[in-house]
Amino acid sequence: MSDLVALLLTPFLAACLFVGMHTWLGLQVLRRKVVFADLALAQLSALGGTIAVAVGHPPGSLGGFGYAFALTLFGAGVLTLTRRVSAQVGQEAVIGIVYVVATAVAILVVDRSPQGAEHVKRMLVGDILTVSVPDLLKLLLIYGLVGLSHALFYRQLLTTAANSAVLPGRKSTMLWDFLFYATFGLVVTSSVALAGVLLVFSFLIIPAVIGFLFSTKITVALGLGWSAGVVASLLGFTASVTFDLPTGATMVVTFAGTLLVAAILKVLFFAAPTSKRLNRWRLAVASGITILVAVFAQGMWLMIHPAGDQPLLAFVEDKMGLGPELFLSEAERRVFHEAYQTERHHRAEVERLGQLERDARWRGQMLREDELRRASSFQQTYNEMGRGERFVQDHLRALARRRGRWIVGIPITALSSLGLYLLYCAWRPNFAAGRSQTLVET
């Protein structure tokens, strides 16, 4: 356990740094209504890193950082200068063009580079677990300088952000815009190399959105965003370690889940008193409609194509332990259960071998090459045998579903249709009351 804590401590501290700086920048991005500016600048940074690798600079080197920051600084200039045309075409259109062009050029560069696909994957999802103490110190230095500059000029930056759509032609506005985008680009360049484009975007936008959900005051929103971001990061690291998942992608999902929970809490408990009851009713009805539509679609799909994938039916069978036995003969049931038990045994062996390798890696005791090759060979063998047993199960399950397609499909389709009709009847008067209430409040 202590080894695991030691391994994750530095990456978690880096995530807290990301949350601290990116949430502040994200609040300004939301005030400027240029949400995807981060993606555009991050993609320019990734393009710079890709060009650096293509010309011979190793990943993470000072030369690679220089290329990435130079292109990001160029993007900051483009976003600043194009404010004059934003009134006609919108700033998001310019940002979208910058992102698309940067992505296309990166693909062209990668096409001529060795191990280009691996480099693109790293730029997208990063590898935050590889953050070291020197990386953490560099982040502290860069973020400290950026934070100091924003602290000195925060009134000008916030005023410019709030009035960016009103003051398109003033030189002072362009100066503060460039300062914001340049420091923003510096932060993005330093973080994309460690965390990847997707996770950096999550650090920037999601905590800021959570903060603005509950308050428009910048200080309150900043505190809420910091708290939500740290909690989401902790949940992401925990889920990644528990289920052995890619850390970057897992953290993006936990950030999204945190935003969903925050939105539900806002609607149910922090809305206007007159709206809370109606919001809870709406959420309950929307959840019921979602479930009933899924059940209706499953019933129709079972009747139309019983041998195809039946995700909802398979989930219910797995959780309730039903299986396809009801529509199989005694001999077919025996074969199905034998294949199921054998496949479970093979899957357990594959998991056991994988766990041995993971435990050795966490302890810092790497397996020898012959041990890795032997474990890999056993895993491949067990996977192939398990695939054969799953084929038998799938064949018998499809046979059972063809036999019971009408017996199961018609009732669940009819019951879900009845449920949707009853929900519609119950929803109409409440919807009308809610609409009248909204008009009165307006």
Side-chain angles (χ1 to χ4, degrees):
M1 185 64 181
S2 59
D3 294 338
L4 182 61
V5 172
L7 177 68
L8 296 179
L9 179 60
T10 303
F12 178 70
L13 291 176
C16 293
L17 278 178
F18 290 148
V19 169
M21 178 53 67
H22 284 73
T23 302
W24 164 249
L25 294 173
L27 291 172
Q28 295 191 61
V29 164
L30 291 177
R31 288 166 71 97
R32 292 171 181 267
K33 295 181 173 58
V34 288
V35 174
F36 294 104
D38 173 61
L39 276 180
L41 294 180
Q43 191 60 42
L44 284 170
S45 174
L47 172 60
T50 303
I51 294 174
V53 170
V55 299
H57 293 282
S61 65
L62 183 60
F65 181 86
Y67 273 88
F69 183 57
L71 280 179
T72 308
L73 202 60
F74 168 76
V78 170
L79 295 180
T80 301
L81 294 174
T82 53
R83 283 187 53 197
R84 289 175 179 268
V85 300
S86 63
Q88 287 77 30
V89 300
Q91 187 79 358
E92 288 288 354
V94 177
I95 293 170
I97 293 171
V98 171
Y99 174 78
V100 169
V101 172
T103 304
V105 176
I107 292 173
L108 293 176
V109 174
V110 163
D111 187 60
R112 301 297 181 184
S113 303
Q115 298 181 339
E118 184 63 29
H119 178 74
V120 170
K121 178 183 177 183
R122 180 178 176 82
M123 282 298 181
L124 281 176
V125 299
D127 191 1
I128 196 172
L129 289 180
T130 62
V131 175
S132 61
V133 174
D135 293 327
L136 197 61
L137 295 177
K138 292 176 186 175
L139 288 176
L140 278 172
L141 176 61
I142 294 172
Y143 289 4
L145 292 174
V146 173
L148 179 61
S149 66
H150 281 235
L152 292 174
F153 305 111
Y154 79 97
R155 291 187 183 277
Q156 293 90 332
L157 290 171
L158 290 179
T159 302
T160 305
N163 301 312
S164 60
V166 183
L167 306 170
R170 291 176 54 180
K171 293 181 179 179
S172 59
T173 300
M174 296 181 66
L175 174 63
W176 298 121
D177 266 351
F178 184 73
L179 175 63
F180 170 72
Y181 283 121
T183 53
F184 185 21
L186 179 60
V187 170
V188 167
T189 301
S190 61
S191 54
V192 163
L194 299 174
V197 173
L198 300 181
L199 186 54
V200 167
F201 183 76
S202 298
F203 279 125
L204 179 87
I205 294 299
I206 294 180
V209 169
I210 292 174
F212 267 148
L213 275 177
F214 294 92
S215 177
T216 56
K217 292 183 178 179
I218 195 74
T219 53
V220 177
L222 189 60
L224 292 173
W226 281 343
S227 302
V230 171
V231 170
S233 299
L234 184 59
L235 292 175
F237 279 111
T238 303
S240 174
V241 171
T242 303
F243 302 106
D244 192 31
L245 298 170
T247 307
T250 305
M251 290 181 69
V252 171
V253 173
T254 56
F255 268 81
T258 305
L259 175 59
L260 178 62
V261 171
I264 293 174
L265 291 176
K266 168 67 176 178
V267 168
L268 296 184
F269 301 104
F270 295 95
T274 54
S275 302
K276 287 182 183 178
R277 182 179 177 184
L278 183 61
N279 288 339
R280 292 171 184 173
W281 170 252
R282 286 173 174 171
L283 181 62
V285 171
S287 302
I289 290 175
T290 301
I291 294 172
L292 290 172
V293 168
V295 172
F296 177 83
Q298 175 62 89
M300 293 296 296
W301 181 243
L302 177 63
M303 292 186 289
I304 294 170
H305 189 42
D309 291 334
Q310 311 288 340
L312 184 58
L313 189 58
F315 175 80
V316 172
E317 289 175 350
D318 180 65
K319 294 303 179 182
M320 299 185 66
L322 296 174
E325 292 89 347
L326 292 175
F327 304 102
L328 294 177
S329 65
E330 187 64 33
E332 290 168 341
R333 291 177 196 168
R334 187 168 58 252
V335 172
F336 181 86
H337 282 292
E338 288 176 357
Y340 175 73
Q341 294 298 331
T342 305
E343 191 263 336
R344 281 189 62 187
H345 171 72
H346 294 331
R347 189 166 62 239
E349 285 297 311
V350 171
E351 180 59 30
R352 183 183 66 83
L353 292 171
Q355 189 61 46
L356 288 175
E357 181 184 351
R358 288 192 294 272
D359 290 344
R361 188 168 64 248
W362 286 121
R363 293 193 300 267
Q365 303 170 355
M366 299 302 295
L367 297 176
R368 298 193 310 270
E369 185 177 351
D370 59 328
E371 292 176 328
L372 284 173
R373 189 180 297 111
R374 185 167 178 266
S376 177
S377 177
F378 275 118
Q379 284 181 315
Q380 185 176 359
T381 301
Y382 284 128
N383 277 324
E384 290 295 331
M385 291 190 294
R387 192 175 293 113
E389 300 300 333
R390 284 194 297 274
F391 175 80
V392 174
Q393 295 175 67
D394 291 341
H395 171 73
L396 292 174
R397 188 178 288 111
L399 179 64
R401 285 174 178 164
R402 276 195 293 267
R403 293 172 181 172
R405 62 198 296 186
W406 308 114
I407 300 174
V408 176
I410 291 177
I412 64 175
T413 304
L415 289 174
S416 58
S417 300
L418 177 61
L420 287 170
Y421 175 74
L422 294 176
L423 274 180
Y424 170 74
C425 293
W427 170 256
R428 276 198 306 174
N430 285 275
F431 177 76
R435 188 175 181 182
S436 301
Q437 176 183 322
T438 303
L439 291 174
V440 170
E441 291 177 352
T442 304

